[in-house]
Amino acid sequence: MFKKRYTPYITALELTLKCNMRCIHCGSSAGDYRKQELSTKEWNDLCTDVSSLGCQLITFLGGEPFIRRDWFDIATHVKDLGMNVSIITNGFLINEKLIDQLRKIDPYTIAISIDGATDVTHDTIRNHPGSLEKCKQAFDQLNKVNIPTTAVTTVHKMNLKELPQLREYLLNRNIAWQIQIADTMGRFPKELHLSPKEFYSVGLFIASSRSKYSFDELPITGAHCIGYNSKVLPPTQMSPKWTGCQAGTAALAIQSDGGIKGCLSLSDEYKEGSIKNHSIINIWNDTTTFSYNRQFLKEDLKGDCYNCKYGKSCKGGCLGVSIAETGDLHHDPYCFYLFEKQNL
């Protein structure tokens, strides 16, 4: 019988859980180091292995990845292996010395979290005075030397109304913009979660922005958690159609202590072991791992997704959102099609 082969085209590395901020929406509750975080050699060996599996892009994140003093050594190794590097950061540690290092590794993009258009909103969300100003300085410094940048905005009730003002700031700055929603996990308080109506308004905002501005003026996209199969809105994501979560089929994620997941947003019950005990090559090629996606059946759908005509292709939306909001896989309630079916 033919055995399907999977390739982890994108691998996310949580270099450390240590962070210099305490963001209210952090799903990882980042702040302190995990116990026994991986060494430089362990990260480099892992990168060598995922390269042999066909990985094309390594994404560093945290915590705050630039807290790791060896981030540049690991990034250099990634580039030497022929893979691209992207880095997700809060931007606070970016300075001229760090930018010189970034220029040497030629990153795919530096993604900086920007969660409010005003100092009051952004700095309150990030629990760090002066953080919005540092973000803006970092964007200016990086763009000055032609390092590609992306703004990542995590939306909830505190900053929803500031999206138009944020758009004005980002317009014509050669900064890509990714919008995502905060989920009720980690330290994020449930009372700040978007209602379904507010969630749909985010989709309307992205769609109207794409209609009003060209891609060169404002390269805006929704993340994997922003809506599916709308009959009203054009696609809000980069791909024209959502074909289901890629965790464990085209995406891989490693926690800073070596824990193996398909996506860092998944809860720990979906860990596939640790690279400290098993080779990532063996874990990835094991036919029994990542079964929630690799062995997905329509019968795995739950709730409204079970009888949905898009269920088989959609696979119940974002698995991270599904778990956070319902406690189950394949049952993401934040769905454009579902909202339209119930309200339009």
Side-chain angles (χ1 to χ4, degrees):
M1 183 176 179
F2 176 73
K3 175 184 173 182
K4 185 173 182 178
R5 295 185 63 85
Y6 297 96
T7 301
Y9 294 108
I10 300 175
T11 300
L13 306 186
E14 180 197 76
L15 288 189
T16 180
L17 198 60
K18 179 69 174 176
C19 192
N20 52 344
M21 296 187 184
R22 298 294 185 274
C23 305
I24 64 172
H25 60 256
C26 182
S28 301
S29 299
D32 297 324
Y33 294 104
R34 290 187 191 272
K35 293 181 179 179
Q36 298 182 322
E37 293 195 330
L38 299 182
S39 66
T40 309
K41 183 180 185 305
E42 287 174 316
W43 277 126
N44 284 342
D45 289 345
L46 169 77
C47 291
T48 299
D49 287 345
V50 296
S51 175
S52 72
L53 290 170
C55 181
Q56 297 176 6
L57 175 66
I58 296 283
T59 298
F60 291 175
L61 66 164
E64 171 50 47
F66 288 133
I67 283 179
R68 288 273 308 217
R69 294 183 179 181
D70 58 356
W71 75 264
F72 179 69
D73 296 328
I74 301 169
T76 300
H77 182 65
V78 170
K79 293 295 291 188
D80 289 343
L81 290 167
M83 297 182 287
N84 286 318
V85 178
S86 63
I87 301 174
I88 302 175
T89 172
N90 59 42
F92 204 83
L93 300 178
I94 293 177
N95 53 32
E96 292 298 333
K97 179 181 177 182
L98 191 144
I99 288 175
D100 286 342
Q101 292 175 308
L102 289 174
R103 294 177 72 181
K104 293 176 182 177
I105 63 169
D106 187 26
Y108 180 79
T109 191
I110 302 300
I112 300 176
S113 301
I114 183 166
D115 295 310
T118 64
D119 292 324
V120 171
T121 301
H122 178 90
D123 294 359
T124 299
I125 291 171
R126 295 260 144 194
N127 273 310
H128 204 299
S131 56
L132 178 60
E133 186 57 34
K134 282 290 291 182
C135 281
K136 292 180 176 180
Q137 289 176 9
F139 278 126
D140 290 342
Q141 291 173 301
L142 292 165
N143 288 343
K144 186 177 180 180
V145 295
N146 297 314
I147 293 177
T149 55
T150 300
V152 178
T153 301
T154 303
V155 185
H156 45 76
K157 289 183 184 295
M158 281 185 66
N159 58 9
L160 174 62
K161 293 182 178 179
E162 293 191 9
L163 288 178
Q165 195 175 343
L166 259 176
R167 180 175 60 191
E168 289 304 308
Y169 165 71
L170 293 169
L171 191 62
N172 289 311
R173 285 182 176 268
N174 196 32
I175 301 172
W177 191 14
Q178 177 179 297
I179 295 178
Q180 57 196 35
I181 62 169
D183 298 320
T184 48
M185 61 177 68
R187 66 168 67 99
F188 182 62
K190 188 172 183 178
E191 60 268 21
L192 292 180
H193 198 282
L194 297 178
S195 68
K197 185 176 181 179
E198 290 170 328
F199 168 74
Y200 196 79
S201 75
V202 176
L204 286 169
F205 175 81
I206 296 172
S208 64
S209 297
R210 283 186 163 183
S211 175
K212 186 175 182 179
Y213 303 104
S214 70
F215 187 80
D216 288 337
E217 291 175 306
L218 186 70
I220 181 174
T221 183
H224 53 272
C225 54
I226 301 290
Y228 318 103
N229 299 303
S230 172
K231 292 301 183 183
V232 178
L233 305 175
T236 57
Q237 301 168 359
M238 288 299 292
S239 58
K241 184 180 180 181
W242 170 262
T243 56
C245 173
Q246 301 298 303
T249 59
L252 174 65
I254 311 297
Q255 293 178 319
S256 58
D257 59 359
I260 302 165
K261 293 182 178 181
C263 171
L264 289 173
S265 295
L266 298 178
S267 52
D268 282 353
E269 65 183 293
Y270 297 101
K271 281 200 292 190
E272 307 287 348
S274 170
I275 67 164
K276 292 187 175 182
N277 303 317
H278 304 281
S279 160
I280 191 61
I281 295 175
N282 292 339
I283 289 290
W284 183 262
N285 289 329
D286 189 330
T287 58
T288 66
T289 56
F290 309 104
S291 59
Y292 49 84
N293 267 342
R294 294 185 180 183
Q295 299 177 31
F296 169 79
L297 299 172
K298 188 179 184 299
E299 290 71 25
D300 295 326
L301 296 168
K302 300 177 180 67
D304 295 294
C305 297
Y306 184 78
N307 292 314
C308 178
K309 64 180 181 179
Y310 296 109
K312 189 174 181 180
S313 60
C314 176
K315 298 181 180 178
C318 172
L319 297 187
V321 177
S322 181
I323 293 170
E325 303 308 321
T326 71
D328 281 325
L329 293 171
H330 309 295
H331 182 199
D332 180 354
Y334 279 74
C335 167
F336 290 157
Y337 177 71
L338 177 62
F339 179 87
E340 292 166 359
K341 185 178 179 181
Q342 294 177 341
N343 294 277
L344 298 183

